[in-house]
Amino acid sequence: MGVSDLAEAGVLERQTATVMEMVAKAGLSIATAESCTGGLLAALLTDIKGFSGSFDRGFVTYSEQSKRQMLGIPGNLIRMHGVVSRDVALRMAQGALSRSNADLSIGITGFAGPAGVRDEAGLVHLAVVAGARPAIVRECHFGLAERDVVRRRTVRAALEMLEEMVVVFQVE
């Protein structure tokens, strides 16, 4: 691990701690539904000591079949929009929320490495949902970078979005 990798790891750890502190202070809990990040976000959220009550569960749904089985995403939605799409990220988040005891959830789907002929390498879609509140969605274009770089950048975006949603709870 190089110096820049260590620095990035420290930034992610601090950002994760901030989010978990906010979530705990607001009395909330999180569920995750991850594809291209392979559970990296859930691992970071559970690495922070003292916040076990703020993380409910994580779903790692890498395949289309797992997205259908574990999160209830209709196959026709995947066929219509593609597995890496805003609609699938949103349904992943909704599926994780409905299949957990969490107050908010995030769905992440994307291409962390080289993609298919018609697919964009580094394209990632994220969505955060929390009950009847408006969803927060984001489309990221990280380009053709190393898998670990795309995954770390995706997790940073996810943490920013979770923080945004917690602020919504605090304002209400």
Side-chain angles (χ1 to χ4, degrees):
M1 188 178 274
V3 173
S4 64
D5 293 332
L6 288 173
E8 178 72 19
V11 168
L12 281 177
E13 187 176 300
R14 286 188 300 279
Q15 187 179 10
T16 304
T18 298
V19 169
M20 290 307 283
E21 288 169 9
M22 290 175 68
V23 169
K25 185 176 179 181
L28 303 172
S29 64
I30 297 172
T32 61
E34 301 176 70
S35 184
C36 64
T37 49
L40 180 59
L41 177 61
L44 285 168
L45 294 171
T46 58
D47 275 351
I48 308 297
K49 293 178 185 175
F51 298 106
S52 60
S54 299
F55 184 83
D56 183 63
R57 68 191 75 187
F59 299 87
V60 178
T61 56
Y62 207 71
S63 70
E64 289 182 29
Q65 183 177 8
S66 66
K67 288 172 179 63
R68 290 192 308 270
Q69 290 175 343
M70 294 175 70
L71 300 173
I73 299 175
N76 64 342
L77 181 87
I78 293 172
R79 284 188 298 280
M80 187 181 320
H81 299 284
V83 72
V84 176
S85 64
R86 176 190 191 280
D87 296 281
V88 169
L90 190 55
R91 288 299 286 267
M92 288 173 71
Q94 292 166 340
L97 191 64
S98 69
R99 288 163 172 75
S100 71
N101 297 313
D103 301 295
L104 62 149
S105 66
I106 185 161
I108 303 169
T109 185
F111 300 114
V117 175
R118 295 183 179 159
D119 301 320
E120 178 188 338
L123 173 63
V124 178
H125 290 272
L126 305 96
V128 176
V129 297
R133 291 162 186 84
I136 299 170
V137 295
R138 189 179 292 180
E139 178 178 312
C140 301
H141 301 269
F142 297 123
L144 185 57
E146 295 293 324
R147 289 179 64 76
D148 62 327
V149 171
V150 172
R151 289 164 40 110
R152 285 194 310 262
R153 288 176 180 168
T154 300
V155 167
R156 286 188 72 182
L159 290 167
E160 290 169 6
M161 294 170 69
L162 288 168
E163 188 173 340
E164 267 182 69
M165 187 60 84
V166 173
V167 169
V168 169
F169 275 91
Q170 293 172 335
V171 171
E172 295 178 341

